Amino acid sequence: MQTIRTHTHAGQVAPRAVKDFMTGYFTGVTVVTAFSGSGRPHGLTCNSLVSVTLEPPTLLVCLDQSAGTLAAVRETGTFAVNLMSERGRATAERFASAAPDRFDSVAWERSAHGVPVLVDDALSVAQCAVADLHRVGDHTVVFGRILDIENRPGNPLLYGMRTFSGAPEGVLGAVVPGTLPAGR
């Protein structure tokens, strides 16, 4: 086995080294969506999602400072986290691109909490109100208090090794969304 070391210069690790490090980390794929103050839908593919606390129910996402989606989240104070299903790969790729018309080719609707929700390609959706914002470098950590969750049947879309994939065969169907194994 060959080990490749990345040397630091003045305590600074190169962004490419961080990207290479994260390549081996498989994670779920989300599309974060929000309306701007003028009512235009914004969205981007994001894999920086963390459950922060159950009381109150809070999660966090990390959004690029230059993203129109972050500006929309700041303007309206609400957003949705759409956990993508395997069938949503094309949508995840589209929302990861610079395409200005991302919502034109996907099914979406305005939710009861006033956020754009992907209706065909999301496995689950959490609608959130902004609880806090914290800038870290070129991103902002957005803490969202969960207002509502909708779970749908299906299999999750994963990302790792610079590619999208489905869940491994052995875990599919092991837990139905909305239920937990005994003892949890």
Side-chain angles (χ1 to χ4, degrees), residues 29-72:
V29 179
T30 72
V31 172
V32 175
T33 55
F35 282 113
S36 66
S38 66
R40 179 173 174 243
H42 289 265
L44 55 74
T45 299
C46 175
N47 63 1
S48 298
L49 169 67
V50 175
S51 171
V52 177
T53 181
L54 296 176
E55 291 295 333
T58 305
L59 52 77
L60 70 78
V61 293
C62 298
L63 304 178
D64 189 295
Q65 279 295 122
S66 65
T69 303
L70 176 59

Side-chain angles (χ1 to χ4, degrees), residues 125-172:
V125 179
Q127 298 174 58
C128 302
V130 174
D132 200 4
L133 300 164
H134 184 77
R135 184 174 181 161
V136 180
D138 60 0
H139 278 63
T140 293
V141 180
V142 181
F143 292 87
R145 185 176 46 83
I146 301 172
L147 304 171
D148 196 12
I149 292 178
E150 180 181 343
N151 292 307
R152 304 173 184 144
N155 300 320
L157 181 64
L158 302 177
Y159 186 79
M161 303 302 287
R162 295 189 175 101
T163 190
F164 292 99
S165 65
E169 196 67 31
V171 300
L172 296 180

Side-chain angles (χ1 to χ4, degrees), residues 3-142:
T3 300
I4 301 170
R5 299 215 185 269
T6 303
H7 299 284
T8 62
H9 300 284
Q12 194 74 317
V13 175
R16 180 65 193 186
V18 175
K19 285 183 179 183
D20 288 346
F21 171 77
M22 292 303 297
T23 294
Y25 180 67
F26 277 79
T27 184
V29 179
T30 72
V31 172
V32 175
T33 55
F35 282 113
S36 66
S38 66
R40 179 173 174 243
H42 289 265
L44 55 74
T45 299
C46 175
N47 63 1
S48 298
L49 169 67
V50 175
S51 171
V52 177
T53 181
L54 296 176
E55 291 295 333
T58 305
L59 52 77
L60 70 78
V61 293
C62 298
L63 304 178
D64 189 295
Q65 279 295 122
S66 65
T69 303
L70 176 59
V73 167
R74 282 186 168 133
E75 286 178 30
T76 61
T78 57
F79 63 98
V81 177
N82 299 268
L83 297 179
M84 301 306 289
S85 71
E86 281 182 313
R87 69 184 172 275
R89 179 179 178 162
T91 298
E93 290 172 337
R94 180 173 191 79
F95 278 79
S97 76
D101 55 352
R102 296 175 189 157
F103 285 87
D104 289 353
S105 65
V106 299
W108 65 276
E109 62 187 27
R110 180 184 289 266
S111 75
H113 291 284
V115 293
V117 170
L118 303 179
V119 296
D120 289 340
D121 297 324
L123 180 63
S124 300
V125 179
Q127 298 174 58
C128 302
V130 174
D132 200 4
L133 300 164
H134 184 77
R135 184 174 181 161
V136 180
D138 60 0
H139 278 63
T140 293
V141 180
V142 181

